[in-house]
């Protein structure tokens, strides 16, 4: 009876490994790509792809040889334990669940396959118990095989994570199911931009008609509003709308002036009051709360970018800090960047356009930390010249590394202009790449694509509680977020 059981297990496992290996070989290139996206095996994916297939076929061969049956059983048990630990790590310690990797795994879910592996491992272990006459030797070898398999997978996982997140080899992990296009709204004009959101309602300002803005709700229903301001005699050049519900701000840093109003009033014409006037010039700003905004300005002496704060509740109302932004070349363009603010984490995020770095800052303008993206470009060499008008112009134009940045709770979504390792240039001809970071844990999580809308590239982006919205020329497109993403901030 025992010999029949051993015989059955040997050939069952051999058949299982041959089937798994052949399934991987049939779509081997896809299998290698899937391993590359694995959050556990990223750095060693190419080696492991070959090693797994060779191991499965070699062990299957040993299992059908009578004289090598013990070796085959011990090796098959070790490999099944390694597979089991890998799936356990994916399910419990991975930032996301990747695609399946061929073979039986394509037919089962990850949890089901975990139990399948555990059952097969136990069946092999029982066969070993019956086949190994020296029980002491069985216990010792079984413990060694289990320990070595667990240790090997753990070492691969930890070293891969360290290299990806600390040594920065610029290898992206693409979400298997990133975003799915759901609805499209024709805005009729191409001058809108995202100014903020509340729950699943997004607000869009208009760069050509700054006293007009719209909202779009979860049903893709549009509402139009107008803004009333008292001071119409100024020559506004760059009025920009920013919302932090239930308030909105409208500012032009060239005057400089900032208005403030209420979003949640029922009137279609929104009244405003002056929040700040001639207190500080700025090129960008972001509301923190109803009483304060952060600004990006320029030093009157060096013309380098500096960060500041306008707070209606403090004395003095304006605070400027020139020490936060670090210059590597011209001081103007190399320190240029964009603001984000996490209301949940009470943290300002300033992301450089031309270097692989973003800065975490408290609402009181205290430097919290400097973190890097997976892009390997520490700094682009930029030269600039100052015109007689006082304006700075690049003399060696370069493309920004980080094109657009969106903050959602603890996550940072960066539209990247850089190719990662082993990525094709064709990607940028048909899609935009968005990299996701957890800035609280200082971790890169994953990346995903947003395909072009015909000939139109993505020009703006915003993330709400359940959706991602993208702007393409005159079209507003709503995407459904992957479940692995929504679970991180809902």
């Amino acid at each position: 009876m025992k010999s029949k059981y051993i015989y059955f297990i040997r050939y069952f496992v051999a058949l299982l490994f041959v089937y798994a290996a052949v399934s991987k070989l049939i779509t081997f290139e896809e299998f290698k790509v899937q391993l590359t996206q694995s959050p556990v095996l990223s750095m060693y994916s190419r080696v492991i792809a070959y090693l797994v297939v060779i191991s499965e076929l070699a062990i299957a061969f040993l299992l059908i040889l009578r004289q090598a049956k013990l070796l085959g059983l011990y090796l098959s048990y070790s490999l099944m334990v390694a597979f089991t630990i890998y799936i356990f790590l994916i399910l419990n310690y991975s930032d996301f669940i990747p695609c399946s990797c061929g073979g039986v795994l394509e037919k089962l879910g990850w949890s089901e396959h975990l139990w399948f592996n555990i059952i097969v491992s136990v069946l092999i272990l029982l066969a070993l118990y019956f086949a190994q006459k020296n029980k002491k030797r069985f216990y010792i070898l079984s413990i060694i095989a289990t320990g070595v398999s667990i240790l090997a997978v753990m070492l691969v996982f930890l070293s891969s994570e360290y290299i990806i997140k600390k040594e920065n080899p610029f290898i992206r992990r693409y979400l298997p199911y990133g975003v799915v296009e759901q609805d499209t709204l024709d805005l009729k004009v191409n001058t809108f931009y995202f100014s903020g959101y509340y729950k699943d309602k997004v607000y869009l300002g208009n760069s050509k008609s700054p006293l007009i803005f719209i909202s779009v709700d979860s049903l893709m229903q549009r509402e139009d509003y107008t803004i009333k301001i008292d001071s119409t005699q100024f020559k506004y050049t760059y009025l920009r709308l920013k919302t932090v519900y239930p308030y909105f701000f409208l500012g032009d840093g060239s005057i400089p002036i900032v208005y403030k109003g209420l979003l949640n009033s029922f009137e279609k014409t929104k009244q405003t009051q002056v929040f700040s006037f001639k207190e500080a010039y700025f090129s960008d700003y972001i509301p923190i709360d109803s009483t304060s905004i952060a600004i990006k300005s320029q030093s009157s002496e060096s013309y380098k970018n500096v960060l500041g704060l306008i707070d209606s509740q403090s004395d003095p109302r304006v605070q400027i800090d020139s020490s936060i932004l670090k210059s590597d070349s011209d001081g103007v363009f190399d320190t240029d960047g964009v603001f984000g603010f996490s209301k949940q984490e009470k943290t300002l995020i300033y992301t450089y356009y031309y270097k692989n770095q973003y800065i975490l800052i408290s609402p009181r303008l205290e430097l919290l930390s400097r973190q890097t993206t997976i892009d390997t470009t520490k700094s682009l060499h930029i030269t600039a010249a100052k015109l007689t008008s006082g304006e700075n112009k690049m003399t060696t134009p370069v493309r920004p590394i980080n094109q657009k940045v969106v903050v959602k709770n603890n996550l940072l979504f960066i539209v990247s202009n850089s190719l990662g390792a082993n990525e094709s240039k064709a990607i940028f001809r048909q899609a935009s790449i968005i990299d996701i970071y957890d800035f609280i844990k200082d971790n890169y999580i994953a990346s995903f694509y947003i395909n072009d809308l015909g000939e139109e590239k993505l020009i703006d982006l915003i993330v709400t509680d359940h959706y991602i919205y993208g702007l393409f020329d005159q079209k507003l497109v709503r995407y459904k977020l992957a479940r692995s993403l929504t679970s991180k901030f809902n």
Side-chain angles (χ1 to χ4, degrees), residues 227-229 247-251 258-262 270-276 289-292 312-313:
I227 301 173
K228 183 178 180 181
I229 57 177
Y247 302 97
F248 70 87
F249 292 79
L250 189 68
V258 180
Y259 300 96
K260 177 180 141 185
L262 274 173
K270 305 295 185 183
Q271 303 294 325
T272 61
Q273 61 184 32
V274 174
F275 174 80
S276 173
D289 52 36
S290 62
T291 64
S292 61
S312 62
Q313 301 297 307

Side-chain angles (χ1 to χ4, degrees), residues 119-135:
I119 292 169
V120 172
S121 298
V122 171
L123 292 175
I124 297 172
L125 198 61
L126 185 59
L128 278 167
Y129 180 80
F130 292 149
Q132 181 76 68
K133 294 179 180 180
N134 187 331
K135 300 307 177 188

Side-chain angles (χ1 to χ4, degrees), residues 37-41 84-99 110 157:
Q37 307 311 322
S38 167
V40 176
L41 307 174
T84 303
I85 297 302
Y86 168 70
I87 296 174
F88 177 80
L89 291 173
I90 286 287
L91 290 173
N92 293 277
Y93 297 98
S94 169
D95 289 319
F96 63 94
I97 307 298
C99 289
W110 285 87
F157 169 62

